[in-house]
């Protein structure tokens, strides 16, 4: 299958900091590809390189068969981008902004434009300065979905949308996929990625550490099990491949490696199972298998942190120290 995005060995550094360290990523034509990682993992740097806003240090990057740095103008007529924080021209109406973006992207489907305005309940006659954050997102979403772009790059696209609009957005992305468009979706809303993505890539420290469909990832990940036993849970020991074993009120809880699930079930059967729940790992479970130690470290830090006013915990410098920022082209600041 042809790739809409093909990246191999991508490296990008800002001074001594290496934001991307040999990243490999492929988005196939006609698929929704989820791109996951916490702040600082390298997602934003990757997207900026794909959009021609940053130049790679080394590696190979192709977008729709072209070089995003060298072929930036023709490629931007074939790409639609929705950022997580949309800024609009304050004096233009939403409709004028949509039309301008459409012209930059090589045209717009007017019927689709009208349909999307109605679906997202967006008033196109208001000026940019009058829109809420959610409505600014809607302007960018309508402009992207109504364009004739072949590739949609969506970076936290539903930020500011209410749950109903999030659900509508998901339906529309499914429609775009059905029409053969390719989508690269970066989102912190794991349920959104889980619902939409055909394949998923998880990035850590500038490298993709796992990629594949959700089912492929689940096939070699731990399954969550809870069981009520007739002779009580306290006697359960020596379960093969088991992690996080605990018991409460006669019920045992644990996660187990896929190849040890059958053996664990056999041990449970010997203790008289009266109720059993076996849950495949969610996308959150899969994600935390790569980042769980960061959460545990944070929880340990919180446990040892002195209390602030009114007994609340505090983080020294909270609100003043964000992720590291680096100068990009033309003196612009880029934060990962």
């Amino acid at each position: 299958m042809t790739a809409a995005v093909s990246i191999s060995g991508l490296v990008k550094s800002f001074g001594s900091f290496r934001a991307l360290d040999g990243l490999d990523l492929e988005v196939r034509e006609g698929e929704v590809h989820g791109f996951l990682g916490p702040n600082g993992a390298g997602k934003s740097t990757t997207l900026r390189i794909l959009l021609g806003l940053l130049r790679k240090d080394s590696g190979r990057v192709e977008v729709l068969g072209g070089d995003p740095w060298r072929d930036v103008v023709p490629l931007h007529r074939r790409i639609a981008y929705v950022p997580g924080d949309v800024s609009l021209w304050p004096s233009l109406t939403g409709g004028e902004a949509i039309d301008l973006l459409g012209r930059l992207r090589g045209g717009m489907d007017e019927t689709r434009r009208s349909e999307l305005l109605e679906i997202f309940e967006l008033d196109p006659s208001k000026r940019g300065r009058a829109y809420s954050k959610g409505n600014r997102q809607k302007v960018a979403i309508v402009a992207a979905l109504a364009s004739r772009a072949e590739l949609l790059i969506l970076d936290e696209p539903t930020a500011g949308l209410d749950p109903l609009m999030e659900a509508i957005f998901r339906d529309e992305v499914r429609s775009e996929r059905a029409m053969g468009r390719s989508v690269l979706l970066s989102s912190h809303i794991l349920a959104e990625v889980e619902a939409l993505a055909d394949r998923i890539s998880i990035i850590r420290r500038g490298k993709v550490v796992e990629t594949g469909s959700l089912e492929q990832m689940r096939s070699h990940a731990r399954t969550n099990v809870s069981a009520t036993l007739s002779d009580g849970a306290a006697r359960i020991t020596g379960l093969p491949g088991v992690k996080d074993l605990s018991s409460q009120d006669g019920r045992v809880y644990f996660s187990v490696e896929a190849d040890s699930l059958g053996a664990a079930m056999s041990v449970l059967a010997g203790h008289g199972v009266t109720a059993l729940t076996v849950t495949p790992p969610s996308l959150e479970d899969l994600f935390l298998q790569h980042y769980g130690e960061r959460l545990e470290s944070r929880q340990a830090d919180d446990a040892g942190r002195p209390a602030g006013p009114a007994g609340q915990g505090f983080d020294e410098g909270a609100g003043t120290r964000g992720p590291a920022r680096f100068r990009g082209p033309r003196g612009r600041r880029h934060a990962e």
Side-chain angles (χ1 to χ4, degrees):
M1 183 178 290
T2 307
V5 173
S6 181
I7 299 175
S8 62
L10 178 59
V11 173
K12 179 63 183 179
S13 297
F14 300 95
S16 62
F17 176 76
R18 180 163 287 198
L20 298 177
D21 189 19
L23 180 134
D24 300 317
L25 178 69
E26 182 185 73
V27 180
R28 298 168 182 165
E29 283 189 358
E31 79 168 354
V32 177
H33 195 106
F35 193 37
L36 298 181
N39 294 333
K43 299 192 311 300
S44 295
T45 300
T46 303
L47 296 184
R48 290 185 182 116
I49 289 173
L50 290 177
L51 292 167
L53 301 176
L54 286 177
R55 190 171 191 172
K56 63 181 171 63
D57 294 339
S58 62
R60 182 180 62 83
V61 182
E62 286 188 4
V63 178
L64 300 174
D67 183 319
W69 183 262
R70 185 187 64 239
D71 306 320
V72 61
V73 173
L75 282 178
H76 272 238
R77 297 181 67 82
R78 304 169 65 192
I79 297 171
Y81 171 57
V82 179
D85 189 6
V86 175
S87 296
L88 297 175
W89 298 272
S91 298
L92 293 184
T93 66
E96 289 169 339
I98 291 169
D99 293 339
L100 175 57
L101 290 170
R103 288 194 294 272
L104 293 173
R105 292 167 180 160
M108 178 167 292
D109 184 330
E110 293 297 334
T111 302
R112 180 71 168 142
R113 176 188 185 277
S114 300
E115 179 186 71
L116 288 167
L117 288 173
E118 182 176 352
I119 289 172
F120 283 101
E121 300 176 1
L122 178 66
D123 181 356
S125 65
K126 289 186 177 180
R127 299 196 180 276
R129 66 170 69 93
Y131 280 128
S132 65
K133 174 177 175 55
N135 281 328
R136 292 197 303 272
Q137 290 299 128
K138 290 179 185 180
V139 168
I141 290 170
V142 170
L145 299 184
S147 72
R148 298 194 177 101
E150 300 164 47
L151 171 65
L152 305 178
I153 297 179
L154 311 178
D155 185 12
E156 305 295 338
T158 58
L161 297 188
D162 61 48
L164 175 60
M165 289 296 128
E166 287 180 3
I168 290 172
F169 168 80
R170 294 178 192 180
D171 287 341
E172 295 308 314
V173 170
R174 292 187 186 101
S175 297
E176 296 300 319
R177 175 178 55 192
M179 291 187 287
R181 288 222 258 183
S182 308
V183 180
L184 178 58
L185 172 63
S186 174
S187 177
H188 286 120
I189 304 175
L190 297 185
E192 184 171 81
V193 177
E194 190 167 5
L196 289 173
D198 300 296
R199 293 192 306 134
I200 299 160
S201 292
I202 298 175
I203 183 174
R204 175 170 178 151
R205 296 176 182 171
K207 293 182 179 180
V208 169
V209 292
E210 187 169 12
T211 189
S213 69
L214 187 56
E215 290 306 313
Q216 288 171 335
M217 290 183 175
R218 281 173 170 166
S219 68
H220 57 264
R222 295 190 296 271
T223 296
N224 302 311
V225 178
S226 65
T228 301
L229 308 177
S230 59
D231 62 357
R235 295 176 56 191
I236 292 293
T237 58
L239 285 169
V242 160
K243 303 267 188 176
D244 306 320
L245 177 64
S246 64
S247 61
Q248 182 178 5
D249 300 329
R251 194 164 180 85
V252 64
Y253 303 88
F254 59 88
S255 62
V256 58
E257 302 290 348
D259 56 2
S260 299
L261 181 59
M265 292 298 101
S266 296
V267 173
L268 289 180
H271 291 272
V273 179
T274 59
L276 178 67
T277 302
V278 179
T279 308
S282 66
L283 182 54
E284 181 178 0
D285 296 326
L286 296 169
F287 183 79
L288 289 177
Q289 285 187 31
H290 293 286
Y291 282 98
E293 83 285 352
R294 282 183 52 171
L295 180 61
E296 292 170 1
S297 175
R298 175 72 186 203
Q299 289 170 339
D301 290 345
D302 288 344
R305 183 175 290 127
Q312 298 176 348
F314 69 90
D315 190 358
E316 182 178 358
T320 61
R321 295 178 61 193
R325 293 179 180 268
F326 306 92
R327 293 281 179 182
R330 302 175 183 88
R332 294 177 181 171
R333 294 174 69 85
H334 295 279
E336 183 51 45

